[in-house]
Amino acid sequence: MRFKRVYIEITNACNLSCSFCIKNDRPIHSMTIEEFSHIISQVKPYTDYVYLHILGEPLSHPHLLAFLDICKDAKIKVNITTNGTLLRKKGEELCHPALRQLNVSLHSFSEHEQANYLNDVCTYSRLLAKHNIHINLRLWSLENGVLSKESKKLLEEVCAYFQVEKPAEIKRLKRFDLEKYIHLHFEEVFQWPSLKHPYVSDTGRCLGMKTMAGILSDGTLVPCCLDSKKECNLGNVFTTPLKDLLESERVKSICKGFDENRIEEELCKHCSYRLRFSKGKESF
């Protein structure tokens, strides 16, 4: 089994409380250096890329630089998703050979309106781009193909900063290049899956446990980056080797089901995001 990516939630604490986020209801925990090192040793045989995010703000973690060093030593490339509010504080640390890509959720801006936020994001985007790090400035606020009012204003300001014309076409998964290594990325608003949400179907496919997996801050293995509440708990990598978890009958059943257009897990039956994969595209 090989994954395109494994999501690692190094902390479930965040400095914002955005309306589009499902919010954390688990005990706050930030991984120790020992815990993170253990996880990297476990995932190394299965992937070349880790994404430091599920919930929480990864740039708030005090050991972020040490984590990047661990990944560099393991020859694993890192992607990070951030709200961007701490770039002025952590921007220099991110100029690291292990970092491949930084995703900045610009659509968080209306939730905090931090002074100099956009200027900081754009300034550090250019700094990181000089180190051949890709920057995805995300505007994941499309609703039926239309950007929110706040996102339209952000788009105008970002394009003005980089002195480019606004993109002529805006649609989900459309990438617009601002400069070399710096991109705008658009996506529709989505609903986080939950057993409390309406039943969707028991047929279909997804990439969970096929090309991706997630590990929460307490070590819980989940099938994808959207199971923030660990409602599909596949075991814990701190108590059971990842190899054993991946070879479990439950994981095999999930994968076989997706191969046969069948949904095995209850959480997946209540997930509307997986319907996007029917179009053969992904935006995780």
Side-chain angles (χ1 to χ4, degrees), residues 126 129 161-164 176-183:
R126 278 183 163 161
Y161 182 96
F162 289 100
Q163 297 182 318
V164 298
F176 179 74
D177 297 332
L178 295 165
E179 287 184 357
K180 187 177 182 181
Y181 294 109
I182 305 176
H183 325 283

Side-chain angles (χ1 to χ4, degrees), residues 11 16 29 37 59 101 118 164 192 195 203 248 250-251 266:
T11 180
L16 298 182
H29 180 70
S37 183
L59 299 195
Q101 180 173 300
L118 274 181
V164 298
W192 292 75
L195 291 172
T203 60
S248 70
R250 187 176 180 187
V251 168
E266 281 303 310

Side-chain angles (χ1 to χ4, degrees), residues 187-280:
E187 175 59 293
E188 291 277 337
V189 174
F190 66 90
Q191 183 183 59
W192 292 75
S194 170
L195 291 172
K196 296 178 181 179
H197 292 163
Y199 175 85
V200 176
S201 73
D202 61 3
T203 60
R205 57 182 289 273
C206 191
L207 303 179
M209 302 313 296
K210 297 285 289 180
T211 66
M212 75 172 84
I215 299 175
L216 300 178
S217 59
D218 66 356
T220 301
L221 176 69
V222 291
C224 78
C225 64
L226 296 183
D227 185 9
S228 66
K229 295 181 179 295
K230 60 180 181 182
E231 292 179 306
C232 184
N233 185 335
L234 301 175
N236 194 292
V237 298
F238 294 147
T239 57
T240 306
L242 179 61
K243 178 178 183 293
D244 292 348
L245 297 179
L246 296 179
E247 292 177 354
S248 70
E249 290 304 314
R250 187 176 180 187
V251 168
K252 290 178 181 177
S253 177
I254 291 172
C255 295
K256 188 173 187 291
F258 288 148
D259 287 340
E260 298 174 355
N261 202 45
R262 185 180 67 254
I263 307 300
E264 291 291 326
E265 292 290 331
E266 281 303 310
L267 178 64
C268 304
K269 294 176 183 179
H270 292 257
C271 175
S272 59
Y273 194 97
R274 64 179 171 80
L275 301 179
R276 302 184 182 199
F277 297 125
S278 64
K279 301 177 182 179

Side-chain angles (χ1 to χ4, degrees), residues 39 55 102 116 129 134 144 146 153 163 183 185 217-218 225 282-283:
I39 287 174
L55 286 186
L102 186 76
N116 300 315
H134 285 276
N144 298 317
V146 179
K153 184 174 184 295
Q163 297 182 318
H183 325 283
H185 190 264
S217 59
D218 66 356
C225 64
E282 58 174 297
S283 59

